[in-house]
């Protein structure tokens, strides 16, 4: 049976990837929605603003810009900039960003397969490991979302492949490709620079144990490339922090967010271990293989890849503990764990193959897509409530709301805690308010609403009854322009000159 699987590993891999694509294509026209819809909207807004305003990649712009030009700091907008070029060619249907992300995701799975196949010299292990990442629920969900993390993950797996290929083929060209991909991955999301620890351990192993190897011979080029990769990444994030301070537009957080207290940190870690990792980040089927690999790996410590993968585990744990508050709900921040998970899963499948447990392997391969679909589709794509206002999921209603406001008008939209969802869907720029009653709050005897009007806001759009009934708000409304679903658009009384 194992021999039959080996002979058909290529077919199994291709069929599973095809199934992965087909399942996603069924939902490909969905608007940004569900969990982390705010992140999708902010990403898409930056891409759209590149396409419509300025393609300067050093000037990412957000929609909640108040009276400013919207330029602020963020992770290097490589994903957004490429998407912006596609928008200029194909327009901006919802499906465009989803197809773009899906293509990136499939490429990432292929590079995971190529990397694991190269270091194990076994296509069967490479196929099964890559498919485990492919059907991990969190990856399955975000693989067609506008999320830069997917792009960074793909670049990192490609970098790992070319790094190993450079050593095997003794090719500096492959090495420099690997470093370039590593740098762009780290620029896109800094935490993905952690795979540099894998390279550092491999480098040290060669310097100490294999003094005549390709890596040892080119140690100076490797050291300089590594320093440049880190330096370029840090330089960008310093620049991004400067942009944030200059504009005071803080839609993107690029800082480390520790747990508020020891107790809250322990609570988050407990949830991560018991629920998030086995259910979402890896999936139950993959967790079983990972545990098998974790047990088996202690009998294979003499493997040349043991220490490099161990370094990935350790540096990921440092990142996870330092950024623990993000791990409470932002599960996609845990996707860098796929690097060491791929190593453990590979060892797990290697053990099952050695023990000729073909039945268990087949059961796991069948369970992976089923569990991913059951966990994600009903909760995130298949229900009527997509996590956005109904008027935004109805294209006709959304167009009427968009057309009710002049294109260049600065608007106030809310209540929207994210500060970006309403503005993105309405395709407008300006101001947001986060909660009911915020517009009527006073500072120095001026309400928030009056302050926004004085700063250039001319229209208000809201679906909040308390805001609609507030007398301080009513006093500043000139007329109602349109009502759609439960949204109301108002022309505001212009500021006094």
């Amino acid at each position: 049976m194992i021999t039959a699987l080996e002979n058909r590993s290529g077919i199994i891999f291709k069929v599973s990837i095809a199934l992965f694509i087909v399942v996603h294509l069924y939902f490909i026209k969905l608007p940004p929605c569900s969990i982390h819809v705010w992140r999708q909207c902010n990403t898409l807004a930056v891409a759209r603003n590149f396409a419509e305003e300025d393609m300067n990649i050093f000037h990412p712009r957000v929609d909640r810009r108040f009276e400013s030009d919207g330029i602020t700091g963020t992770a290097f907008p490589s994903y957004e900039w490429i998407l912006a070029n596609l928008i200029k060619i194909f327009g901006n249907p919802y499906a465009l960003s989803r197809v773009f992300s899906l293509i990136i995701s499939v490429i990432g799975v292929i590079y995971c397969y190529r990397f694991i196949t190269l270091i194990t010299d076994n296509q069967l292990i490479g196929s099964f490991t890559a498919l485990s990442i492919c059907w991990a629920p969190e990856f399955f969900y975000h693989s067609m979302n506008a999320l830069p993390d997917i792009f960074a993950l793909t670049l990192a797996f490609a970098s790992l492949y070319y790094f190993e290929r450079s050593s095997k083929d003794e090719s500096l060209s492959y090495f420099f490709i690997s470093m370039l991909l590593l740098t762009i991955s780290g620029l896109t999301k800094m935490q993905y620079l952690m795979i540099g620890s894998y390279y550092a351990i491999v480098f040290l192993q060669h310097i100490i144990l294999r003094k005549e190897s390709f890596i040892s011979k080119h140690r100076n080029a490797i050291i300089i490339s590594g320093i440049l990769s880190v330096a370029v990444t840090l330089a960008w994030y310093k620049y991004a922090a400067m942009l944030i301070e200059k504009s005071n537009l803080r839609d993107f957080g690029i800082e480390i967010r520790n747990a508020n207290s020891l107790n809250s940190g322990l609570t988050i870690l407990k949830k991560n271990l018991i629920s998030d990792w086995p259910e979402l980040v890896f999936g139950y089927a993959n967790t079983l293989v990972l545990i098998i690999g974790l047990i088996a790996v202690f009998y294979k410590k003499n493997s040349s890849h043991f220490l490099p993968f161990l370094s990935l585990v350790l540096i990921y744990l440092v990142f996870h503990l330092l950024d623990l508050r993000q791990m409470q709900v932002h599960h996609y921040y845990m996707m860098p764990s796929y690097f060491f998970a791929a190593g453990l899963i590979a060892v797990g499948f290697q053990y099952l193959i050695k023990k000729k447990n073909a039945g268990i392997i087949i059961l796991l391969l069948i369970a992976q897509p089923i569990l991913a679909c059951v966990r994600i589709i009903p909760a995130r794509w298949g229900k009527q409530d997509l996590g956005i206002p109904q008027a935004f999921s109805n294209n006709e209603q959304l167009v009427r709301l968009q057309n009710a406001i002049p294109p260049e008008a600065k608007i106030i939209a809310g209540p929207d805690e994210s500060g970006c969802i309403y503005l993105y869907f309405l395709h407008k720029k300006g101001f947001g308010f986060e909660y009911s009653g915020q517009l009527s709050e006073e500072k120095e005897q001026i309400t928030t609403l009056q302050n926004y009007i004085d700063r250039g806001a001319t229209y208000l759009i809201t679906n909040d009854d308390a805001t609609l009934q507030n007398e301080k708000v009513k006093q500043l409304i000139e007329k109602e322009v349109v009502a759609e679903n439960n949204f109301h658009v108002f022309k505001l009384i212009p500021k006094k000159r």
Side-chain angles (χ1 to χ4, degrees):
M1 183 71 79
I2 292 294
T3 303
L5 286 175
E6 288 175 341
N7 293 335
R8 293 173 174 80
S9 64
I11 295 174
I12 294 170
F13 184 73
K14 291 173 185 176
V15 169
S16 192
I17 291 294
L19 177 62
F20 178 82
I21 293 170
V22 168
V23 172
H24 283 86
L25 288 178
Y26 187 80
F27 302 99
I28 207 73
K29 293 184 179 180
L30 282 176
C33 61
S34 193
I35 303 297
H36 305 309
V37 61
W38 65 271
R39 188 62 178 89
Q40 299 170 53
C41 288
N42 251 339
T43 302
L44 291 166
V46 171
R48 185 172 66 190
N49 292 335
F50 274 136
E52 294 180 350
E53 298 182 67
D54 180 8
M55 286 296 294
N56 186 341
I57 198 169
F58 296 102
H59 290 166
R61 300 170 189 262
V62 292
D63 288 342
R64 184 177 58 175
R65 58 182 61 177
F66 303 97
E67 69 271 38
S68 75
D69 58 10
I71 297 173
T72 189
T74 178
F76 187 68
S78 51
Y79 174 97
E80 294 90 335
W81 191 83
I82 298 171
L83 179 58
N85 281 278
L86 295 176
I87 289 172
K88 290 172 80 72
I89 297 170
F90 300 107
N92 195 24
Y94 294 137
L96 179 65
S97 64
R98 294 197 178 278
V99 170
F100 177 52
S101 292
L102 189 59
I103 291 171
I104 291 171
S105 301
V106 171
I107 292 172
V109 173
I110 292 171
Y111 270 110
C112 177
Y113 158 76
R114 297 179 76 178
F115 167 60
I116 296 298
T117 298
L118 189 63
I119 65 175
T120 61
D121 197 27
N122 190 310
Q123 288 187 349
L124 190 63
I125 295 173
S127 296
F128 293 167
T129 302
L131 292 179
S132 298
I133 301 300
C134 178
W135 293 107
E138 190 70 5
F139 181 85
F140 175 76
Y141 171 60
H142 285 300
S143 57
M144 70 168 188
N145 289 339
L147 197 73
D149 303 64
I150 292 292
F151 188 47
L153 183 73
T154 291
L155 292 170
F157 269 124
S159 177
L160 285 164
Y161 167 74
Y162 285 111
F163 178 81
E164 289 291 343
R165 184 75 185 271
S166 71
S167 179
K168 190 168 187 177
D169 294 0
E170 298 191 351
S171 169
L172 268 179
S173 297
Y174 282 140
F175 174 76
F176 288 132
I177 290 172
S178 173
M179 289 298 103
L180 176 63
L181 293 170
L182 169 66
T183 304
I184 301 173
S185 178
L187 284 167
T188 303
K189 288 307 280 282
M190 184 186 282
Q191 57 264 39
Y192 286 85
L193 203 63
M194 70 174 62
I195 63 170
S197 67
Y198 180 100
Y199 303 154
I201 297 300
V202 172
F203 175 76
L204 290 174
Q205 286 177 324
H206 279 258
I207 296 298
I208 296 169
L209 303 174
R210 300 173 61 186
K211 296 182 179 180
E212 299 302 318
S213 70
F214 165 78
I215 288 178
S216 297
K217 290 177 182 177
H218 296 282
R219 66 177 71 184
N220 291 337
I222 290 171
I223 291 171
I224 292 170
S225 298
I227 292 172
L228 281 175
S229 180
V230 173
V232 169
T233 302
L234 294 178
W236 169 264
Y237 281 90
K238 184 175 182 179
Y239 169 72
M242 181 271 292
L243 286 181
I244 290 173
E245 293 306 315
K246 181 180 179 180
S247 67
N248 201 30
L249 300 175
R250 303 179 183 276
D251 291 66
F252 298 99
I254 58 173
E255 72 279 1
I256 294 293
R257 296 179 179 177
N258 307 117
N260 293 323
S261 66
L262 178 61
N263 284 338
S264 68
L266 292 173
T267 300
I268 294 168
L269 274 176
K270 181 180 178 181
K271 178 175 176 289
N272 292 160
L273 289 168
I274 295 174
S275 175
D276 297 333
W277 264 318
E279 181 183 351
L280 270 173
V281 181
F282 300 137
Y284 291 119
N286 297 330
T287 300
L288 176 60
V289 186
L290 196 149
I291 292 171
I292 293 171
L294 189 61
I295 295 170
V297 79
F298 287 99
Y299 298 97
K300 293 190 61 177
K301 290 181 182 177
N302 60 337
S303 167
S304 62
H305 292 95
F306 174 78
L307 289 178
F309 274 106
L310 179 62
S311 74
L312 286 176
V313 173
L314 295 176
I315 197 166
Y316 173 80
L317 287 176
V318 171
F319 160 69
H320 192 98
L321 292 172
L322 286 176
D323 217 14
L324 201 51
R325 191 147 41 103
Q326 292 288 65
M327 307 303 173
Q328 188 169 10
V329 292
H330 299 86
H331 302 116
Y332 59 87
Y333 270 71
M334 301 183 203
M335 288 200 295
S337 63
Y338 290 153
F339 300 126
F340 69 79
L344 289 172
I345 290 170
V347 174
F349 275 117
Q350 189 175 44
Y351 177 84
L352 292 172
I353 291 168
K354 183 179 179 180
K355 295 296 183 180
K356 300 188 183 301
N357 288 314
I360 294 177
I361 293 172
I362 292 171
L363 185 62
L364 288 167
L365 293 177
I366 294 172
Q368 285 173 350
I370 292 173
L371 291 174
C373 290
V374 168
R375 178 61 183 86
I376 297 301
I377 292 175
R380 302 193 180 180
W381 298 330
K383 61 182 183 179
Q384 188 173 359
D385 180 9
L386 293 174
I388 56 176
Q390 287 187 350
F392 295 170
S393 59
N394 183 309
N395 191 59
E396 292 181 358
Q397 293 179 356
L398 179 60
V399 169
R400 284 194 286 268
L401 288 172
Q402 291 172 340
N403 292 340
I405 304 170
E408 301 303 320
K410 287 184 172 64
I411 75 166
I412 305 167
D416 176 10
E417 186 178 358
S418 74
C420 63
I421 296 172
Y422 283 25
L423 289 169
Y424 172 74
F425 277 102
L426 293 166
H427 199 162
K428 297 293 183 289
K429 311 293 188 290
F431 305 76
F433 65 100
E434 298 179 7
Y435 51 87
S436 181
Q438 185 178 356
L439 291 182
S440 58
E441 292 177 351
E442 292 189 8
K443 184 177 181 180
E444 297 179 358
Q445 297 183 330
I446 298 176
T447 63
T448 302
L449 179 55
Q450 183 64 63
N451 175 267
Y452 287 172
I453 291 172
D454 292 344
R455 294 162 65 184
T458 54
Y459 285 83
L460 166 66
I461 178 167
T462 183
N463 58 342
D464 179 55
D465 289 337
T467 299
L468 294 170
Q469 300 303 319
N470 190 286
E471 290 299 323
K472 293 180 181 178
V473 173
K474 287 181 179 181
Q475 292 172 8
L476 297 172
I477 290 174
E478 182 178 292
K479 63 178 180 179
E480 183 172 18
V481 178
V482 71
E484 194 67 51
N485 202 317
N486 61 339
F487 274 91
H488 298 262
V489 178
F490 300 100
K491 179 76 169 64
L492 297 169
I493 295 175
K495 70 175 181 177
K496 298 175 182 179
R497 298 187 181 278

